[in-house]
Amino acid sequence: EIVMTQSPAILSVSPGERATLSCRASQNVNSNLAWFQQSPGQAPRLLIYAASARATGIPARFSGSGSGTEFTLTISGLQSEDFALYFCLQHNNWPLSFGGGTKVEIK
Amino acid sequence: EVQVVESGGGLVQSGGSLRLSCAASGFTFSSHEMIWVRQAPGKGLEWVSYISSSGESITYADSVRGRFTISRDNARNSLYLQMNSLRAEDTAVYYCVRDGRTAPGTFRRFDYWGPGTLVTVSS
């Protein structure tokens, strides 16, 4: 099973600043990596698929990069609705596996 | 509008059974692979099971293999998860999720999630 490790667990950022979230895979997942945002009480929402492709309707301030074992989600110019929980997911191998999440909170 | 909506959750005793359903609308259900994902209270996400568009290919997480059964009825635009021998650690919100890709070999994109249905297993 591929283990996905996200860091940091909590990220404190001021509105308008940039947030950089990391996701590391225990083995090569190529570009089979997605990022999701989850606000309290809501279902996750797809932000990024194929490591760097924005999903439909996702603002350009969200960008993904990386391949292999190291991935990054960057949120430029944080807005109030961006303070939430973020998960990465690898779908290169079964079983699919999620990272433990990064909570982006207001500094 | 694409929608997936789960139902069938509830309170059940340890060792009991539940059947979750997911009603899909707004897209050609028979063309899409589907998965179930769960989230225990205050915890992260855990993939549970996968089914191909035709239903011929299925896989499960080790934690549920032998106890849970995924199935689909493409004529009814519905996905199911039969859960038997339930344990306290199965307590979670269960999400039905569409894989948005429509051609093999393209990148998966788990693009539509239902609101979830809560399963609580009491010990």
Side-chain angles (χ1 to χ4, degrees):
Chain A
E1 176 179 341
I2 297 176
V3 177
M4 305 300 293
T5 302
Q6 289 187 243
S7 61
I10 301 174
L11 184 60
S12 298
V13 186
S14 300
E17 296 296 305
R18 180 167 65 186
T20 303
L21 289 67
S22 295
C23 177
R24 174 176 293 179
S26 61
Q27 57 185 273
N28 181 21
V29 299
N30 298 298
S31 294
N32 294 305
L33 190 287
W35 289 94
F36 300 87
Q37 177 194 65
Q38 188 177 33
S39 297
Q42 296 192 10
R45 176 175 72 144
L46 176 66
L47 298 175
I48 300 288
Y49 67 97
S52 61
R54 267 190 305 277
T56 303
I58 300 303
R61 65 180 182 272
F62 291 92
S63 62
S65 63
S67 66
T69 62
E70 300 282 346
F71 300 88
T72 300
L73 174 69
T74 302
I75 313 169
S76 302
L78 273 160
Q79 300 189 6
S80 57
E81 61 267 30
D82 300 335
F83 293 96
L85 197 53
Y86 292 84
F87 293 99
C88 61
L89 165 69
Q90 73 79 21
H91 52 87
N92 192 70
N93 288 19
W94 302 102
L96 305 186
S97 47
F98 289 90
T102 291
K103 180 181 179 181
V104 178
E105 64 174 28
I106 300 175
K107 186 175 183 179
Chain B
E1 180 191 5
V2 172
Q3 280 194 319
V4 290
V5 181
E6 306 89 345
S7 60
L11 177 63
V12 62
Q13 287 193 326
S14 179
S17 298
L18 275 180
R19 188 195 196 204
L20 305 185
S21 298
C22 171
S25 61
F27 65 100
T28 304
F29 180 69
S30 60
S31 296
H32 289 268
E33 299 159 271
M34 302 291 294
I35 63 172
W36 286 98
V37 172
R38 68 184 181 183
Q39 186 171 35
K43 302 297 184 182
L45 299 168
E46 179 188 15
W47 167 75
V48 173
S49 185
Y50 157 88
I51 189 167
S52 64
S53 57
S54 66
E56 291 184 356
S57 180
I58 285 172
T59 188
Y60 298 98
D62 286 347
S63 57
V64 306
R65 186 175 292 113
R67 301 186 299 121
F68 289 12
T69 302
I70 191 172
S71 62
R72 65 191 295 160
D73 184 338
N74 285 343
R76 295 179 182 271
N77 293 331
S78 293
L79 176 71
Y80 305 100
L81 187 68
Q82 177 66 44
M83 304 186 296
N84 299 330
S85 303
L86 282 161
R87 306 166 180 167
E89 55 264 36
D90 296 318
T91 294
V93 174
Y94 285 73
Y95 295 105
C96 165
V97 185
R98 184 186 87 157
D99 182 349
R101 74 174 185 176
T102 54
T106 58
F107 282 102
R108 295 186 183 279
R109 38 182 158 166
F110 299 104
D111 55 359
Y112 283 92
W113 295 58
T117 188
L118 176 63
V119 172
T120 303
V121 184
S122 65
S123 52

